[in-house]
């Protein structure tokens, strides 16, 4: 057999100088020799070990088709050879061995990537045999494998198991290009069809969206099975071929939800999982964020919120989280309360929700000058957010006040802010008078409705100065309402009496303010000042409420200004009659 091996090696070497016809005749001769060896059941003369699996084979069939094995045998004096890097391992090598022995096997979409890569690894080229495994597998890939979208996706998915060989033979690139070409052509066809429908009188926008959704539906599910690296390459290839980048958003959303769906990010804290799986999900998330369109409103705020929660949970790069925070800030006007209620994942006694992240989102929103309506909408959203987080006993006064200071001022009223401050004061009864005063100073008492003023006037949790301001501005509002009525018609005695009481109340409020200043200066009696101040304000409040009867319903009261206006209206009608 050693003589035969040398002869076979000589035959393989001299074949390069032979014409094509003689090469084909030589291949037939070697094929008959292999068949004879196999039929005579000649004992094996070489054992090849592949990742722990041993194959007892014959040298001649192997060296006649495998350049790699021929080199190993010629350079080794032993009958045992070890090959550890064969693509597909023992399964891949067995397939190549069957080909060497002319044993029939079927090439399929499932095994073609492995067959092509093992053929490349073992150097099964035309140099050693006409119609060798490389040319056979290439023919199948071109004629069958890449002839359909599903086939290209399946081969691409399989090719990822045989890197870097599959990359070296351009199998990955060919699959990516085929997928991008098919999807782009189909999408252009559907959009062209929608344009024709529009010209026939149909609604162009709805027609385009319908066809676009139809296109995404049929290829999106297939691409979800790919690894994030292959998925990224496919999408980039599609964009380079002119695919609409906005149409990629649905597939990005689908891929993200499929790959990140098992993250438990709804509650307090973080459950420790498999580090390898978390690292894989981290790469998935960072890659998806890098593929998102940069334009405003291209992605829904709820999807951005989901990505941001996952990014915080998985501890992605700072750049990834900052990117998502900026995107959220850019379209915060579209957000709802649930979008910004982002859980905190720390166990260090921190707040239930991630306040710092929301503050940065709000600051990003403040960098863009939007319409007044947008500012008012975001202001109302943040008031709801403050009311939601205010009851957290771990929420520090500094964090709460810092968040309040960044809320847009373009709000119709401050009732929502007052509610949030009241909830915070109720949940943090240990706050001192100085801290209460600082917190209440953020409230604009002039922007409180009559209902909120009535509640604040009897709210013992507020600072004394704030209650005085509330009473003063509400009295001012009542006086203005009465003055409006008196300009049109002379007022009878009972209304004049009401005016006098208003003036008296104003005088009482001014005295209360001056007394409050005097109390603050009395350092030796600072511990008694709050109670004395509240006693004084309580007296004024009672006088104020005496002639302005309010009806209480939790946080709401009847509108005193309306009652006085109605009374003035009746007086005018009486005067006319």
């Amino acid at each position: 057999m050693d003589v035969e091996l040398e002869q076979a090696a000589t035959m393989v070497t001299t074949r390069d100088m032979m014409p094509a016809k003689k090469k084909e005749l030589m291949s037939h001769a070697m094929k008959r020799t292999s068949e004879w060896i196999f039929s005579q059941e000649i004992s094996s003369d070489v054992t090849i070990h592949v990742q722990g699996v041993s194959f007892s084979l014959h040298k001649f069939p192997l060296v006649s088709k495998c350049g790699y094995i021929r080199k190993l045998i010629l350079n080794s004096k032993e009958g045992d050879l070890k090959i550890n890097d064969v693509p597909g391992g023992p399964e891949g090598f067995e397939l190549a061995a069957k080909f060497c022995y002319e044993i029939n096997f079927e090439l399929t979409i499932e095994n073609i990537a492995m067959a092509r890569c093992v053929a490349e690894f073992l150097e099964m080229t035309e140099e050693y045999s006409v119609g060798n495994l490389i040319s056979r597998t290439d023919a199948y890939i071109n004629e069958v494998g890449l002839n359909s979208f599903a086939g290209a996706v399946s081969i691409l998915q399989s090719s990822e198991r045989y890197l870097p060989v599959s990359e070296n033979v351009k199998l990955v690139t060919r699959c990516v290009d085929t997928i991008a070409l098919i999807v782009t052509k189909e999408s252009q066809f559907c959009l062209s069809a929608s344009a024709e429908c529009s010209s026939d009188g149909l609604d162009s926008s709805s027609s385009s969206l319908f066809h676009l959704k139809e296109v995404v539906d049929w290829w999106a599910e297939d691409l979800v099975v790919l690894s994030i690296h292959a998925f990224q390459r496919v999408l980039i290839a599609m964009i380079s071929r002119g695919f609409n980048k906005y149409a990629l958003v649905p597939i990005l959303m689908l891929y993200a939800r499929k790959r990140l769906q098992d993250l438990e990010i709804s509650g307090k804290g973080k459950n420790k999982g498999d580090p390898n799986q978390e690292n894989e999900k981290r790469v998935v998330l960072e890659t998806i964020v890098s593929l998102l369109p940069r334009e405003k409103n291209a992605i829904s705020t709820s999807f951005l919120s989901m990505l941001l929660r996952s990014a915080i949970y998985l501890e992605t790069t700072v750049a990834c989280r900052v990117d998502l925070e900026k995107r959220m800030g850019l379209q915060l006007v579209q957000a709802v309360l649930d979008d910004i209620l982002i859980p905190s994942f720390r166990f260090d006694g921190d707040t239930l929700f991630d306040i710092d992240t929301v503050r940065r989102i709000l600051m990003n929103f403040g960098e863009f000058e939007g319409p007044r309506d947008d500012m008012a909408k975001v202001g109302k959203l943040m008031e709801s957010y403050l009311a939601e987080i205010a009851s957290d006993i771990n929420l520090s006064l500094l964090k709460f006040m810092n968040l309040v200071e960044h809320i847009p001022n373009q709000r119709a009223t401050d009732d929502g802010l007052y509610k949030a401050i009241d909830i915070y004061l109720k949940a943090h009864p240990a706050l001192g008078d100085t801290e209460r005063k600082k917190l209440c100073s953020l409230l604009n008492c002039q922007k409180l409705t009559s209902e909120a003023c009535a509640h604040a006037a009897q709210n013992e949790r507020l600072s004394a100065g704030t209650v005085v301001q509330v009473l003063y501005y509400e009295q001012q509002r009542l006086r203005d309402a009465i003055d409006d009525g008196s300009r049109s018609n002379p007022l009878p005695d009972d209304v004049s009496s009401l005016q006098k009481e208003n003036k008296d109340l104003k005088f009482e409020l001014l005295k209360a303010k001056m007394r409050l200043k005097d109390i603050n200066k009395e350092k030796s009696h600072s511990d008694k000042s709050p109670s004395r101040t509240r006693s004084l304000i309580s007296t004024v409040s009672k006088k104020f409420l005496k002639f302005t009867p309010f009806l209480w319903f939790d946080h709401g009261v009847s509108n005193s200004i309306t009652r006085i206006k109605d009374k003035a209206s009746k007086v005018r009608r009486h005067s006319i009659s």
Side-chain angles (χ1 to χ4, degrees), residues 114-162:
M114 179 177 64
R116 177 62 183 89
C117 291
V118 74
E120 184 71 21
F121 180 85
L122 295 176
E123 301 177 22
M124 302 177 72
T125 66
E126 297 298 293
E127 293 181 31
Y128 304 102
S129 177
V130 175
N132 213 340
L133 189 55
I134 288 181
S135 62
R136 294 282 186 89
T137 52
D138 277 340
Y140 182 90
I141 291 171
N142 294 330
E143 297 172 10
V144 180
L146 301 183
N147 201 30
S148 66
F149 177 84
V153 171
S154 181
I155 295 174
L156 177 58
Q157 183 185 13
S158 301
S159 298
E160 296 182 87
R161 296 195 290 267
Y162 311 118

Side-chain angles (χ1 to χ4, degrees), residues 366-429:
E367 294 178 0
F368 305 97
E369 291 294 334
R372 182 179 181 87
D373 291 344
D374 289 354
M375 304 295 280
K377 187 174 182 180
V378 170
K380 187 174 181 181
L381 171 67
M382 294 310 301
E383 285 180 339
S384 300
Y385 179 77
L386 287 171
E388 189 72 27
I389 66 173
S391 59
D392 190 340
I393 60 174
N394 292 323
L395 177 58
S396 68
L397 179 62
L398 181 61
K399 276 191 176 183
F400 187 80
M401 292 182 62
N402 196 4
L403 197 58
V404 173
E405 290 170 352
H406 286 92
I407 296 179
N409 293 321
Q410 293 84 346
R411 303 185 301 274
T413 72
D414 260 14
D415 286 14
L417 180 57
Y418 167 70
K419 177 183 177 182
I421 290 176
D422 186 39
I423 294 174
Y424 186 87
L425 291 173
K426 187 175 182 180
H428 301 79

Side-chain angles (χ1 to χ4, degrees), residues 494-549:
D494 57 345
V495 179
S496 299
S497 175
L498 188 60
Q499 283 185 317
K500 184 177 182 302
E501 285 194 56
N502 274 314
K503 292 180 180 179
D504 293 341
L505 177 60
K506 181 178 180 180
F507 180 70
E508 292 281 355
L509 289 172
L510 292 175
K511 288 197 299 182
K513 282 187 176 181
M514 298 195 55
R515 183 56 181 157
L516 179 61
K517 293 181 179 178
D518 294 339
I519 291 174
N520 289 334
K521 294 178 181 179
E522 296 176 6
K523 297 182 179 179
S524 59
H525 300 88
S526 59
D527 57 330
K528 299 180 181 179
S529 295
S531 60
R532 294 168 62 187
T533 304
R534 292 187 183 281
S535 176
L536 178 62
I537 294 175
S538 177
T539 302
V540 177
S541 299
K542 289 178 181 178
K543 291 184 178 182
F544 176 73
L545 295 173
K546 180 179 179 181
F547 71 92
T548 308

Side-chain angles (χ1 to χ4, degrees), residues 73 166 194 206 326 379 464 472 493:
I73 293 176
S166 58
S194 67
S206 61
K326 288 184 177 180
Y472 174 78
D493 293 340

Side-chain angles (χ1 to χ4, degrees), residues 33-73:
T33 304
S34 298
E35 292 174 348
W36 178 80
I37 293 173
F38 187 71
S39 64
Q40 298 299 317
E41 298 184 358
I42 298 175
S43 59
S44 63
D45 53 3
V46 63
T47 301
I48 298 179
H49 305 278
V50 180
Q51 298 178 6
V53 179
S54 300
F55 294 87
S56 298
L57 303 170
H58 304 89
K59 294 178 181 179
F60 187 84
L62 297 177
V63 300
S64 65
K65 286 184 170 58
C66 304
Y68 180 82
I69 294 180
R70 182 174 72 89
K71 295 172 185 176
L72 288 180
I73 293 176

Side-chain angles (χ1 to χ4, degrees), residues 67-86:
Y68 180 82
I69 294 180
R70 182 174 72 89
K71 295 172 185 176
L72 288 180
I73 293 176
L74 289 176
N75 295 328
S76 176
K77 297 180 180 180
E78 299 179 358
D80 287 359
L81 301 175
K82 288 186 179 180
I83 309 177
N84 295 321
D85 300 326
V86 178

Side-chain angles (χ1 to χ4, degrees), residues 149 152-153 156-157 160 163 167 172 175-177 179-180 183 216 219-240 243 245 247-260 280 283-293 303 307:
F149 177 84
V153 171
L156 177 58
Q157 183 185 13
E160 296 182 87
L163 295 171
E167 190 71 71
V172 173
C175 291
V176 168
D177 289 343
I179 295 170
V183 172
V216 171
W219 58 265
E221 289 287 349
D222 288 338
L223 291 188
V224 169
V225 302
L226 298 175
S227 74
I228 186 60
H229 302 292
F231 179 77
Q232 181 184 24
R233 288 185 62 173
V234 169
L235 264 57
I236 292 175
M238 289 165 56
I239 294 174
S240 67
F243 191 84
K245 57 184 177 181
L248 294 179
V249 174
I251 178 61
L252 289 171
M253 295 175 64
L254 178 63
Y255 193 90
R257 290 193 171 106
K258 290 281 187 179
R259 293 304 179 99
L260 305 174
E280 179 183 347
V283 173
V284 168
L285 181 54
E286 292 172 356
T287 304
I288 288 175
V289 173
S290 69
L291 292 170
L292 293 174
F303 180 57
L307 292 179

